[in-house]
Amino acid sequence: MSTSGFFRWPAPLARMCTAPWGLGLRGTPALLAPGAAVTAVQMAGRRDHPALLPPLDERDLEEQFVKGHGPGGQATNKTSNCVVLKHIPSGIVVKCHQTRSVDQNRKLARIILQEKVDIFYNGENSLVYKEKREAEKKKQERKKRAKETLEKKKLLKELWESSKNVH
């Protein structure tokens, strides 16, 4: 049951966070494994209620403003409205350039970083990971219902065909 293609996000959110693997994190949960972390990390930033997560301390953050990238030409490529936010204790880096506004990008970068830090420290117990599991369950239930409906339609069609042939 692979979920690697389950969640898709634009490039600014799909950045892999860097982690200081030399800090004794040998027993990291499977969520932080190189192949498995991508889906949960990509899901960061999709939450509607980031207030449920513990707040970040501003002293632990390092913020930079770099030139933008992507479509938009000169308007985005010459302005420094792309926010690069680093959480110093964990080494997680977030790069956000979703809007043209620096203030909105700062807010979005903090929300995304907050969720990535939650994934980093809590692993499978993080809110983002729990939501991902719930979404997988709902998808499986929808698939099961669709399969049952299709089987019922086939059976009904066979009954209709057989009753048509009898007359």
Short mmCIF file of all heavy atoms in Angstrom, two decimals, residues 59-102:
data_model
loop_
_atom_site.label_atom_id
_atom_site.label_comp_id
_atom_site.label_asym_id
_atom_site.label_seq_id
_atom_site.Cartn_x
_atom_site.Cartn_y
_atom_site.Cartn_z
N ARG A 59 13.07 32.87 18.82
CA ARG A 59 14.51 32.88 19.00
C ARG A 59 15.17 31.67 18.34
O ARG A 59 16.36 31.69 18.06
CB ARG A 59 14.85 32.88 20.49
CG ARG A 59 14.46 34.18 21.18
CD ARG A 59 14.69 34.08 22.65
NE ARG A 59 13.67 33.14 23.18
CZ ARG A 59 13.52 32.81 24.44
NH1 ARG A 59 14.33 33.31 25.34
NH2 ARG A 59 12.57 31.99 24.82
N ASP A 60 14.38 30.62 18.09
CA ASP A 60 14.90 29.41 17.45
C ASP A 60 14.83 29.47 15.93
O ASP A 60 15.20 28.51 15.26
CB ASP A 60 14.12 28.18 17.93
CG ASP A 60 14.35 27.89 19.40
OD1 ASP A 60 15.36 28.38 19.94
OD2 ASP A 60 13.54 27.17 19.99
N LEU A 61 14.35 30.58 15.37
CA LEU A 61 14.17 30.68 13.93
C LEU A 61 15.20 31.62 13.31
O LEU A 61 15.55 32.65 13.88
CB LEU A 61 12.77 31.20 13.61
CG LEU A 61 11.60 30.39 14.13
CD1 LEU A 61 10.30 31.05 13.74
CD2 LEU A 61 11.65 28.97 13.62
N GLU A 62 15.66 31.24 12.13
CA GLU A 62 16.55 32.08 11.34
C GLU A 62 15.83 32.35 10.02
O GLU A 62 15.46 31.42 9.31
CB GLU A 62 17.85 31.32 11.09
CG GLU A 62 18.92 32.11 10.40
CD GLU A 62 20.18 31.29 10.26
OE1 GLU A 62 20.78 30.95 11.29
OE2 GLU A 62 20.52 30.97 9.11
N GLU A 63 15.63 33.63 9.72
CA GLU A 63 14.81 34.00 8.57
C GLU A 63 15.64 34.76 7.54
O GLU A 63 16.43 35.63 7.89
CB GLU A 63 13.65 34.87 9.05
CG GLU A 63 12.62 35.16 8.01
CD GLU A 63 11.44 35.90 8.62
OE1 GLU A 63 11.63 36.77 9.48
OE2 GLU A 63 10.31 35.61 8.20
N GLN A 64 15.45 34.38 6.26
CA GLN A 64 16.12 35.07 5.16
C GLN A 64 15.09 35.37 4.08
O GLN A 64 14.11 34.64 3.94
CB GLN A 64 17.20 34.19 4.54
CG GLN A 64 18.36 33.89 5.44
CD GLN A 64 19.35 32.95 4.75
OE1 GLN A 64 19.04 32.36 3.73
NE2 GLN A 64 20.53 32.84 5.32
N PHE A 65 15.36 36.42 3.33
CA PHE A 65 14.51 36.77 2.18
C PHE A 65 15.39 36.68 0.94
O PHE A 65 16.40 37.36 0.85
CB PHE A 65 13.92 38.17 2.34
CG PHE A 65 13.12 38.32 3.60
CD1 PHE A 65 13.65 38.97 4.70
CD2 PHE A 65 11.85 37.79 3.70
CE1 PHE A 65 12.92 39.10 5.87
CE2 PHE A 65 11.12 37.91 4.85
CZ PHE A 65 11.66 38.56 5.94
N VAL A 66 14.99 35.82 0.03
CA VAL A 66 15.77 35.62 -1.19
C VAL A 66 14.91 35.95 -2.39
O VAL A 66 13.69 36.10 -2.28
CB VAL A 66 16.30 34.17 -1.29
CG1 VAL A 66 17.27 33.88 -0.16
CG2 VAL A 66 15.17 33.17 -1.28
N LYS A 67 15.55 36.03 -3.56
CA LYS A 67 14.81 36.34 -4.78
C LYS A 67 13.87 35.22 -5.15
O LYS A 67 14.15 34.05 -4.90
CB LYS A 67 15.78 36.61 -5.92
CG LYS A 67 16.57 37.88 -5.71
CD LYS A 67 17.36 38.24 -6.93
CE LYS A 67 18.26 39.40 -6.60
NZ LYS A 67 17.91 40.61 -7.22
N GLY A 68 12.75 35.60 -5.73
CA GLY A 68 11.73 34.63 -6.10
C GLY A 68 12.15 33.77 -7.27
O GLY A 68 13.22 33.93 -7.86
N HIS A 69 11.28 32.83 -7.63
CA HIS A 69 11.53 31.90 -8.71
C HIS A 69 10.20 31.49 -9.32
O HIS A 69 9.15 31.76 -8.77
CB HIS A 69 12.27 30.66 -8.19
CG HIS A 69 11.52 29.97 -7.10
ND1 HIS A 69 11.60 30.38 -5.78
CD2 HIS A 69 10.66 28.93 -7.11
CE1 HIS A 69 10.83 29.60 -5.05
NE2 HIS A 69 10.25 28.72 -5.82
N GLY A 70 10.26 30.85 -10.45
CA GLY A 70 9.05 30.31 -11.06
C GLY A 70 8.39 31.26 -12.03
O GLY A 70 8.98 32.26 -12.44
N PRO A 71 7.14 30.96 -12.41
CA PRO A 71 6.45 31.79 -13.39
C PRO A 71 6.15 33.18 -12.86
O PRO A 71 6.02 33.38 -11.66
CB PRO A 71 5.16 31.01 -13.67
CG PRO A 71 4.96 30.16 -12.47
CD PRO A 71 6.34 29.84 -11.96
N GLY A 72 6.07 34.13 -13.75
CA GLY A 72 5.78 35.50 -13.34
C GLY A 72 6.80 36.47 -13.90
O GLY A 72 6.64 37.67 -13.80
N GLY A 73 7.88 35.95 -14.45
CA GLY A 73 8.88 36.78 -15.09
C GLY A 73 9.58 37.73 -14.15
O GLY A 73 9.91 37.39 -13.01
N GLN A 74 9.80 38.94 -14.64
CA GLN A 74 10.58 39.93 -13.90
C GLN A 74 9.93 40.29 -12.57
O GLN A 74 10.62 40.57 -11.60
CB GLN A 74 10.75 41.17 -14.78
CG GLN A 74 11.69 42.20 -14.21
CD GLN A 74 11.90 43.35 -15.17
OE1 GLN A 74 11.16 43.49 -16.13
NE2 GLN A 74 12.90 44.16 -14.92
N ALA A 75 8.60 40.27 -12.52
CA ALA A 75 7.90 40.65 -11.30
C ALA A 75 8.27 39.75 -10.12
O ALA A 75 8.34 40.20 -8.98
CB ALA A 75 6.39 40.61 -11.52
N THR A 76 8.51 38.48 -10.37
CA THR A 76 8.85 37.57 -9.26
C THR A 76 10.34 37.31 -9.17
O THR A 76 10.86 37.09 -8.08
CB THR A 76 8.14 36.21 -9.42
OG1 THR A 76 8.53 35.64 -10.66
CG2 THR A 76 6.65 36.37 -9.37
N ASN A 77 11.05 37.34 -10.28
CA ASN A 77 12.45 36.96 -10.26
C ASN A 77 13.38 38.05 -9.73
O ASN A 77 14.51 37.76 -9.38
CB ASN A 77 12.90 36.55 -11.67
CG ASN A 77 12.15 35.32 -12.15
OD1 ASN A 77 11.67 34.53 -11.36
ND2 ASN A 77 12.05 35.17 -13.45
N LYS A 78 12.92 39.30 -9.68
CA LYS A 78 13.79 40.38 -9.22
C LYS A 78 13.45 40.85 -7.81
O LYS A 78 14.19 41.62 -7.23
CB LYS A 78 13.72 41.56 -10.18
CG LYS A 78 14.36 41.27 -11.51
CD LYS A 78 14.40 42.49 -12.37
CE LYS A 78 15.73 43.19 -12.17
NZ LYS A 78 15.89 44.33 -13.08
N THR A 79 12.33 40.40 -7.25
CA THR A 79 11.94 40.84 -5.91
C THR A 79 12.34 39.78 -4.90
O THR A 79 12.30 38.59 -5.17
CB THR A 79 10.43 41.07 -5.83
OG1 THR A 79 9.76 39.86 -6.20
CG2 THR A 79 9.99 42.19 -6.74
N SER A 80 12.71 40.22 -3.73
CA SER A 80 13.11 39.30 -2.65
C SER A 80 11.93 39.01 -1.75
O SER A 80 11.88 39.43 -0.60
CB SER A 80 14.27 39.90 -1.86
OG SER A 80 15.40 40.02 -2.66
N ASN A 81 10.95 38.29 -2.27
CA ASN A 81 9.77 37.98 -1.46
C ASN A 81 9.67 36.49 -1.15
O ASN A 81 8.67 36.04 -0.62
CB ASN A 81 8.49 38.48 -2.15
CG ASN A 81 8.34 37.95 -3.54
OD1 ASN A 81 9.12 37.12 -3.99
ND2 ASN A 81 7.34 38.43 -4.24
N CYS A 82 10.68 35.73 -1.45
CA CYS A 82 10.72 34.32 -1.10
C CYS A 82 11.33 34.21 0.30
O CYS A 82 12.40 34.76 0.57
CB CYS A 82 11.56 33.55 -2.12
SG CYS A 82 11.65 31.80 -1.79
N VAL A 83 10.65 33.52 1.21
CA VAL A 83 11.07 33.42 2.60
C VAL A 83 11.73 32.06 2.83
O VAL A 83 11.16 31.03 2.51
CB VAL A 83 9.87 33.60 3.55
CG1 VAL A 83 10.31 33.44 4.99
CG2 VAL A 83 9.21 34.93 3.33
N VAL A 84 12.94 32.09 3.41
CA VAL A 84 13.63 30.87 3.80
C VAL A 84 13.70 30.90 5.32
O VAL A 84 14.32 31.79 5.90
CB VAL A 84 15.04 30.78 3.19
CG1 VAL A 84 15.75 29.52 3.68
CG2 VAL A 84 14.97 30.80 1.69
N LEU A 85 13.05 29.93 5.95
CA LEU A 85 12.94 29.89 7.40
C LEU A 85 13.62 28.63 7.90
O LEU A 85 13.34 27.53 7.41
CB LEU A 85 11.47 29.89 7.79
CG LEU A 85 11.07 30.32 9.19
CD1 LEU A 85 11.55 31.73 9.47
CD2 LEU A 85 9.57 30.26 9.34
N LYS A 86 14.52 28.78 8.87
CA LYS A 86 15.25 27.62 9.41
C LYS A 86 14.99 27.51 10.90
O LYS A 86 15.09 28.48 11.64
CB LYS A 86 16.75 27.78 9.16
CG LYS A 86 17.57 26.63 9.69
CD LYS A 86 19.04 26.79 9.38
CE LYS A 86 19.82 25.59 9.89
NZ LYS A 86 21.25 25.72 9.58
N HIS A 87 14.66 26.29 11.33
CA HIS A 87 14.49 26.00 12.75
C HIS A 87 15.83 25.49 13.25
O HIS A 87 16.27 24.39 12.89
CB HIS A 87 13.39 24.94 12.94
CG HIS A 87 13.04 24.69 14.36
ND1 HIS A 87 13.32 23.51 14.99
CD2 HIS A 87 12.43 25.48 15.27
CE1 HIS A 87 12.90 23.56 16.23
NE2 HIS A 87 12.34 24.75 16.43
N ILE A 88 16.51 26.28 14.03
CA ILE A 88 17.89 26.00 14.41
C ILE A 88 18.04 24.70 15.21
O ILE A 88 18.92 23.90 14.91
CB ILE A 88 18.50 27.21 15.16
CG1 ILE A 88 18.54 28.41 14.20
CG2 ILE A 88 19.91 26.89 15.66
CD1 ILE A 88 18.87 29.71 14.84
N PRO A 89 17.21 24.41 16.25
CA PRO A 89 17.42 23.17 17.01
C PRO A 89 17.31 21.89 16.18
O PRO A 89 18.05 20.94 16.40
CB PRO A 89 16.32 23.21 18.08
CG PRO A 89 15.98 24.64 18.22
CD PRO A 89 16.17 25.24 16.86
N SER A 90 16.39 21.85 15.22
CA SER A 90 16.21 20.62 14.44
C SER A 90 16.91 20.69 13.09
O SER A 90 17.14 19.65 12.47
CB SER A 90 14.71 20.36 14.21
OG SER A 90 14.15 21.39 13.42
N GLY A 91 17.23 21.87 12.60
CA GLY A 91 17.88 22.02 11.31
C GLY A 91 16.91 21.97 10.14
O GLY A 91 17.34 21.91 8.99
N ILE A 92 15.63 22.02 10.38
CA ILE A 92 14.63 21.96 9.32
C ILE A 92 14.57 23.30 8.60
O ILE A 92 14.51 24.35 9.23
CB ILE A 92 13.25 21.59 9.88
CG1 ILE A 92 13.30 20.19 10.49
CG2 ILE A 92 12.18 21.66 8.81
CD1 ILE A 92 12.04 19.80 11.20
N VAL A 93 14.57 23.26 7.27
CA VAL A 93 14.53 24.47 6.46
C VAL A 93 13.27 24.45 5.60
O VAL A 93 12.94 23.44 4.99
CB VAL A 93 15.78 24.55 5.55
CG1 VAL A 93 15.69 25.76 4.63
CG2 VAL A 93 17.04 24.61 6.39
N VAL A 94 12.56 25.58 5.57
CA VAL A 94 11.36 25.73 4.76
C VAL A 94 11.56 26.92 3.83
O VAL A 94 12.03 27.98 4.26
CB VAL A 94 10.11 25.97 5.64
CG1 VAL A 94 8.93 26.35 4.80
CG2 VAL A 94 9.81 24.77 6.49
N LYS A 95 11.24 26.73 2.57
CA LYS A 95 11.32 27.81 1.59
C LYS A 95 9.91 28.04 1.05
O LYS A 95 9.30 27.12 0.51
CB LYS A 95 12.27 27.39 0.46
CG LYS A 95 12.62 28.48 -0.49
CD LYS A 95 13.70 27.98 -1.45
CE LYS A 95 14.15 29.10 -2.35
NZ LYS A 95 15.19 28.65 -3.28
N CYS A 96 9.38 29.25 1.22
CA CYS A 96 8.01 29.53 0.83
C CYS A 96 7.96 30.72 -0.12
O CYS A 96 8.41 31.81 0.22
CB CYS A 96 7.16 29.81 2.07
SG CYS A 96 5.44 30.13 1.69
N HIS A 97 7.40 30.49 -1.31
CA HIS A 97 7.21 31.54 -2.30
C HIS A 97 5.88 31.31 -3.00
O HIS A 97 5.81 31.13 -4.20
CB HIS A 97 8.38 31.54 -3.29
CG HIS A 97 8.32 32.67 -4.26
ND1 HIS A 97 8.35 32.48 -5.61
CD2 HIS A 97 8.23 34.00 -4.07
CE1 HIS A 97 8.29 33.65 -6.21
NE2 HIS A 97 8.21 34.59 -5.31
N GLN A 98 4.81 31.26 -2.22
CA GLN A 98 3.49 30.98 -2.78
C GLN A 98 2.77 32.23 -3.24
O GLN A 98 1.93 32.17 -4.13
CB GLN A 98 2.63 30.26 -1.74
CG GLN A 98 3.10 28.86 -1.48
CD GLN A 98 2.16 28.12 -0.56
OE1 GLN A 98 1.43 28.73 0.21
NE2 GLN A 98 2.18 26.82 -0.63
N THR A 99 3.06 33.37 -2.61
CA THR A 99 2.39 34.60 -2.98
C THR A 99 3.44 35.67 -3.30
O THR A 99 4.63 35.47 -3.05
CB THR A 99 1.48 35.11 -1.85
OG1 THR A 99 2.29 35.50 -0.73
CG2 THR A 99 0.49 34.05 -1.41
N ARG A 100 2.99 36.81 -3.78
CA ARG A 100 3.90 37.92 -4.06
C ARG A 100 4.17 38.76 -2.83
O ARG A 100 5.07 39.58 -2.80
CB ARG A 100 3.32 38.80 -5.16
CG ARG A 100 3.28 38.09 -6.50
CD ARG A 100 2.60 38.91 -7.55
NE ARG A 100 3.32 40.14 -7.84
CZ ARG A 100 2.95 41.03 -8.73
NH1 ARG A 100 1.84 40.83 -9.43
NH2 ARG A 100 3.64 42.12 -8.94
N SER A 101 3.39 38.53 -1.77
CA SER A 101 3.52 39.31 -0.55
C SER A 101 4.50 38.65 0.43
O SER A 101 4.38 37.47 0.74
CB SER A 101 2.15 39.44 0.13
OG SER A 101 2.28 39.95 1.42
N VAL A 102 5.45 39.44 0.92
CA VAL A 102 6.41 38.92 1.88
C VAL A 102 5.72 38.54 3.18
O VAL A 102 6.02 37.51 3.78
CB VAL A 102 7.53 39.96 2.14
CG1 VAL A 102 8.50 39.46 3.19
CG2 VAL A 102 8.27 40.28 0.87
#
